[in-house]
């Protein structure tokens, strides 16, 4: 993250959404997206305007020739996290769904913003690309149908991650008794390149490092590690974004949600240690022990989450008395 963005983000969070310098007096929010290739969370400050129940942000990139990275991220995964300052001097954090406006609606919304702030007219004049206008729709967790959808999605993603982890362990087992030759290395390179192109697994640099740094691993292991680690990062980022909303809707889950947040940090450290081993050329036995450690922690974490969240999200709740 550039130092300038980091300073703005820190000032925003420390001062209830207010910042000085070039953004002083501006309506500013923090937008966290999931990296299209890395699966990791990325936070950027953005100028916004309210439009009814939704918030509008503009992918101006100060009139640069390319869309900002956050726009590419939300195009791949429209679930984002928004942070807004409140009148009480705190920062409100909530999940939202990003929708890229099109056609006449986009043109009208951008023209209105350019009228409010002539700088945006200058941004559009400076670039050949059409600057996107993105509408952020806050996620409504008060709807029981939404609760059930979240529970179903949680179980579905856990099932997929369990399957990926099983494939990762099987790939490690098959690599334990063999050394990858030139053909195997080429196979890994092809798989890693494909993962980089499609986005869910990791950056090209990471893929290349895994390929060159793990000569004892078969192609299946490298492919599944890239895919699994990226998907896990994205899942936990999305969960962290939803936990604040769930805590307001289900205050009785406060302690459980705190535990889940801490478990996310522990799992993230374990994944980082595994990724470091993969790039170091560690022996299969060492890798197997680290994958087993990750598998144990994840299964405990998934089981706890499902036991705490699914019943709360799917049970019938009494209607409030009028």
């Amino acid at each position: 993250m550039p130092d300038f963005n980091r300073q703005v983000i820190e000032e925003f969070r420390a001062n209830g959404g207010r910042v000085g310098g070039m953004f002083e007096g501006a309506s500013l929010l923090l937008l966290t997206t999931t990296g299209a290739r890395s699966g990791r969370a990325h936070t950027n400050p953005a100028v916004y305007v309210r439009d009814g129940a939704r918030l509008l942000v503009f992918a101006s990139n100060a009139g640069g020739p390319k869309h900002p990275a956050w726009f590419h991220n939300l195009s791949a995964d429209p679930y984002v996290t928004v942070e807004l300052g409140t009148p009480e001097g705190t920062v409100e954090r909530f999940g939202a769904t990003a929708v890229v406006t099109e056609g006449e609606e986009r043109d009208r919304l951008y023209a209105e913003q350019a009228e409010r702030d002539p700088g945006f007219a200058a941004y559009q004049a400076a670039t050949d690309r059409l600057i996107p206008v993105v509408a952020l729709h806050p996620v409504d967790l008060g709807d029981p149908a939404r609760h059930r959808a979240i529970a179903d999605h949680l179980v579905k993603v856990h099932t997929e991650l369990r399957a990926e982890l099983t494939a990762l362990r099987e790939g490690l087992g098959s690599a334990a008794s063999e050394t990858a030759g030139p053909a195997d290395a080429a196979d890994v390179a092809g798989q890693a390149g494909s993962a980089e192109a499609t986005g869910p697994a990791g950056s090209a640099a990471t893929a290349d490092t895994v390929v060159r740094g793990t000569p004892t691993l078969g192609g299946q292991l490298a492919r599944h590690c890239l895919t699994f680690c990226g998907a896990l990062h994205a899942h936990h980022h999305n969960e962290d974004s939803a936990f604040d909303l769930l805590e307001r809707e289900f205050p009785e889950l406060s302690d459980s949600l705190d535990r889940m947040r801490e478990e996310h940090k522990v799992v993230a450290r374990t994944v980082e240690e595994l990724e470091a081993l993969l790039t170091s050329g560690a022996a299969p036995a060492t890798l197997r022990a680290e994958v087993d450690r990750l598998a144990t922690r994840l299964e405990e974490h998934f089981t706890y989450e499902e036991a705490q969240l699914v019943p709360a999200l799917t049970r019938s709740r009494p209607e409030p008395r009028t």
Side-chain angles (χ1 to χ4, degrees):
M1 180 190 301
D3 288 341
F4 175 75
N5 271 5
R6 182 178 294 107
Q7 291 170 6
V8 172
I9 291 168
E10 291 175 355
E11 186 178 0
F12 183 101
R13 289 171 173 165
N15 294 286
R18 295 182 296 276
V19 298
M22 64 180 293
F23 287 121
E24 186 169 4
S27 296
L28 199 68
L29 58 75
L30 299 185
L31 180 66
T32 300
T33 58
T34 300
R37 290 196 280 188
S38 69
R40 298 180 187 274
H42 297 276
T43 301
N44 296 91
V47 171
Y48 79 96
V49 62
R50 290 189 180 274
D51 185 55
R54 63 184 185 173
L55 307 173
L56 304 177
V57 292
F58 309 87
S60 66
N61 205 15
K66 296 181 179 180
H67 296 322
W70 60 258
F71 178 77
H72 294 290
N73 290 343
L74 64 79
S75 296
D77 182 350
Y79 184 82
V80 301
T81 303
V82 176
E83 293 173 69
L84 277 179
T86 69
E88 295 75 28
T90 61
V91 174
E92 178 187 13
R93 185 171 183 250
F94 56 89
T97 302
V99 177
V100 180
T101 62
E102 297 179 346
E104 292 182 0
E105 181 187 26
R106 178 266 165 208
D107 295 344
R108 173 180 60 80
L109 294 172
Y110 197 89
E112 291 173 355
Q113 177 64 5
E115 185 174 350
R116 282 187 293 265
D117 183 345
F120 282 85
Y123 294 152
Q124 185 60 82
T127 182
D128 292 332
R129 66 187 175 87
L130 192 67
I131 294 176
V133 179
V134 180
L136 306 176
H137 298 261
V139 174
D140 179 13
L141 290 184
D143 181 3
R146 180 66 179 168
H147 293 170
R148 289 189 292 274
I150 292 172
D152 291 343
H153 181 70
L154 174 74
V155 173
K156 177 177 180 291
V157 173
H158 283 184
T159 299
E160 292 171 352
L161 287 171
R162 284 177 170 119
E164 283 291 343
L165 185 55
T166 297
L168 176 61
R169 299 174 83 178
E170 290 175 350
L172 180 57
S174 67
S177 59
E178 63 180 84
T179 298
D184 202 19
D187 177 53
V188 179
Q191 292 166 339
S194 172
E196 189 276 331
T198 54
S203 68
T206 301
D208 187 63
T209 301
V210 170
V211 172
R212 297 181 186 277
T214 55
T216 60
L217 297 180
Q220 185 182 31
L221 174 60
R223 175 172 61 85
H224 280 298
C225 185
L226 287 169
T227 303
F228 173 75
C229 293
L232 183 63
H233 282 304
H235 172 58
H236 280 176
H237 161 58
N238 288 341
E239 281 192 333
D240 285 338
S241 301
F243 280 176
D244 291 349
L245 292 171
L246 287 172
E247 193 163 13
R248 290 197 290 271
E249 185 69 18
F250 301 94
E252 68 274 16
L253 292 178
S254 179
D255 290 343
S256 298
L257 291 168
D258 283 343
R259 171 175 162 174
M260 293 173 208
R261 293 184 182 102
E262 289 304 312
E263 288 180 352
H264 285 180
K265 296 176 184 177
V266 172
V267 168
R269 288 194 296 269
T270 305
V271 169
E272 289 173 0
E273 291 164 3
L274 173 60
E275 290 173 330
L277 281 175
L278 280 168
T279 61
S280 70
T286 302
L287 288 169
R288 186 184 301 108
E290 191 67 12
V291 170
D292 287 344
R293 184 164 72 101
L294 174 62
T296 299
R297 284 181 172 168
L298 274 179
E299 187 53 43
E300 292 174 352
H301 173 65
F302 289 165
T303 300
Y304 182 76
E305 276 193 341
E306 291 164 4
Q308 297 297 312
L309 296 181
V310 172
L313 290 165
T314 56
R315 70 171 177 255
S316 298
R317 307 181 77 187
E319 295 291 332
R321 294 183 179 180
T322 57

